[in-house]
Amino acid sequence: HLTMPKDLPRNAAGLPIVSATIPVRLDVDAKDRERALARRFEPVFFVDGLFAFENEVGFVPMTWNFDPATLNEGEHFLTVNLRGYEGNFGMATVKVFVKRGQSTSGR
């Protein structure tokens, strides 16, 4: 799962509006957490399909700071791939709306 701060404003389509760096939390379902941790994995983050960040040693929950500074205004996809060292794979994606010239709530 990828989750963002709950206090982010939303646009008419219900997408979170992001205009500054925000924390994005990665977690795994409780039913899968023990297995994921036992088999080891690395989380790899992408923005619109382009590599953004990787952590060689995966742990959950973890936080990635998403910075929209170089993105155009509009809809964007944040994706994380969990690549297990034993061939396991998991993925989560969220859609956000990047807005220029607007402060993100509480940041």
Side-chain angles (χ1 to χ4, degrees), residues 8-31:
L8 290 175
R10 298 201 173 253
N11 67 8
L15 296 178
I17 299 172
V18 180
S19 57
T21 301
I22 61 165
V24 177
R25 182 181 166 145
L26 165 65
D27 206 349
V28 175
D29 281 344
K31 65 181 176 60

Side-chain angles (χ1 to χ4, degrees), residues 3-63:
T3 55
M4 293 168 285
K6 294 182 194 272
D7 63 346
L8 290 175
R10 298 201 173 253
N11 67 8
L15 296 178
I17 299 172
V18 180
S19 57
T21 301
I22 61 165
V24 177
R25 182 181 166 145
L26 165 65
D27 206 349
V28 175
D29 281 344
K31 65 181 176 60
D32 298 318
R33 185 175 292 121
E34 184 177 327
R35 182 173 41 146
L37 293 171
R39 293 186 179 188
R40 299 186 50 214
F41 63 91
E42 61 183 79
V44 184
F45 291 86
F46 300 87
V47 177
D48 297 331
L50 299 174
F51 174 81
F53 175 76
E54 172 180 27
N55 190 351
E56 296 291 331
V57 179
F59 57 91
V60 288
M62 73 167 287
T63 301

Side-chain angles (χ1 to χ4, degrees), residues 7 35 70-71 79 90:
D7 63 346
R35 182 173 41 146
T70 61
L71 298 176
T79 300

Side-chain angles (χ1 to χ4, degrees), residues 4 10 13-17 74-78 93-97:
M4 293 168 285
R10 298 201 173 253
L15 296 178
I17 299 172
E75 294 180 359
H76 295 276
F77 293 91
L78 311 181
T93 299
V94 294
K95 188 169 24 170
V96 299
F97 188 88

